[in-house]
Amino acid sequence: MNIGEASKASGVSAKMIRYYEQIGLIRAVGRTESGYRIYSTTDVETLRFIRRARDLGFSVEEMGTLLALWQDKQRESGDVKRVAMQHVVAIEKRIHELEGMARTLRHLAGHCHGDDRPDCPILDDLAAIAAVEKPAARRPALKGRHRGDIAPA
Amino acid sequence: MNIGEASKASGVSAKMIRYYEQIGLIRAVGRTESGYRIYSTTDVETLRFIRRARDLGFSVEEMGTLLALWQDKQRESGDVKRVAMQHVVAIEKRIHELEGMARTLRHLAGHCHGDDRPDCPILDDLAAIAAVEKPAARRPALKGRHRGDIAPA
DNA sequence: CCTTGACCTTCCAATAATGGGAAGGTCCAT
DNA sequence: ATGGACCTTCCCATTATTGGAAGGTCAAGG
């Protein structure tokens, strides 16, 4: 089947399939005489694996590791579990950070009239001459373009 | 004071201060004859405001909105509260997504021996021929380069 | 006065994962 | 043969941030 069909069957866009091939996450598949990529059901299974891992927030790099382990019938399940748990820890760290932000904002908003008066504790807090703290790691905003977020350092 | 001092006083890197100026988040400050940027304490307060907002996960765009509201003494606190709460909702949505991922992974890991045996439910799940679901919005991984994450569409 | 090191300036590149689109070739059904 | 739906490659944009190169400036010490 061609890339469009493989895309539909796997849930990974054709753009991303080409990208994954380009960066070496998946092997370069065969081509027709006219240059069209040809995918086998095995290839589609791999893509589906990627799709699922991506939905669980694994980065491309982690997916590479998982794919290698998946294809290595001799791997030790401990290796897989380790990768998974590292990811869980990263996710949970991220959750805690976000919870802190949400908590603070909800607290501030709770003290804001939220009406036509200009007085606003939220802005007052943002403007507060507070001590500069730990820089903390920053990640992109959720402008919607990506999917899983969270990856190990 | 020059950009290095303003950076230390605000907790925003010199690189980012220049960037924020470039994209118009902050006004272009004055320069010395030799071209060095000069910052006033007011400028530093603005930078600190930005720093704080950034730590609460606001995107540059949202920071622009908040800054405008902050500097508009006539603003209605309701406008500020709205921006803040929209952000909270986005954060909480993200938290739920991450919790779902963590829950699934913890569950799978719980069924994985995690020893030297090759048998692994985690990989089995990833490879499962599951129905392709909702594509869901994807965001970058937390490779550490950024800070707040979460912004409205 | 000159050197040196710490700063400053601008410009360009890379990051992660994805979408958008252009220019051009292909395939298949009318 | 024509058209529309696909395919191909290539380049660009996105977000927030850091890194580095090349070159100018400043202040302190000699």
Side-chain angles (χ1 to χ4, degrees), chain A residues 4-5 26 30 35 37 40 54 69 72 77 79 84 99 130 146 149:
Chain A
E5 294 167 304
I26 55 182
R37 287 176 180 76
S40 65
R54 201 185 59 172
L69 289 170
D72 172 11
S77 62
D79 292 339
E99 281 174 342
H146 317 77
D149 191 69

Side-chain angles (χ1 to χ4, degrees), chain A residues 12 16-26 50 54:
Chain A
V12 179
M16 289 313 297
I17 295 177
R18 292 191 197 99
Y19 172 70
Y20 291 146
E21 176 184 309
Q22 188 204 309
I23 62 172
L25 178 63
I26 55 182
I50 287 172
R54 201 185 59 172

Side-chain angles (χ1 to χ4, degrees), chain A residues 56-59 62 86-95 98 139 148-152, chain B residues 94 98 101 138-143:
Chain A
L56 285 172
F58 287 100
S59 67
E62 288 170 309
Q86 270 177 11
H87 185 51
V88 168
V89 168
I91 289 175
E92 291 179 342
K93 178 171 165 238
R94 183 76 190 121
I95 288 174
L98 291 174
R139 30 207 112 21
D149 191 69
I150 305 277
Chain B
R94 185 76 190 121
L98 292 174
M101 294 179 196
R138 181 172 185 81
R139 16 199 125 27
L142 43 77
K143 285 280 180 178

Side-chain angles (χ1 to χ4, degrees), chain A residues 4-72:
Chain A
E5 294 167 304
S7 170
K8 271 173 205 149
S10 66
V12 179
S13 73
K15 278 269 190 198
M16 289 313 297
I17 295 177
R18 292 191 197 99
Y19 172 70
Y20 291 146
E21 176 184 309
Q22 188 204 309
I23 62 172
L25 178 63
I26 55 182
R27 58 174 254 274
V29 297
R31 306 281 187 125
T32 63
E33 282 181 33
S34 54
Y36 283 25
R37 287 176 180 76
I38 308 170
Y39 295 87
S40 65
T41 53
T42 305
D43 293 324
V44 171
E45 274 166 41
T46 301
L47 287 171
R48 224 182 305 234
F49 180 102
I50 287 172
R51 169 66 201 271
R52 177 91 177 112
R54 201 185 59 172
D55 285 348
L56 285 172
F58 287 100
S59 67
V60 167
E61 194 183 344
E62 288 170 309
M63 287 194 280
T65 303
L66 291 173
L67 272 177
L69 289 170
W70 182 41
Q71 278 145 15
D72 172 11

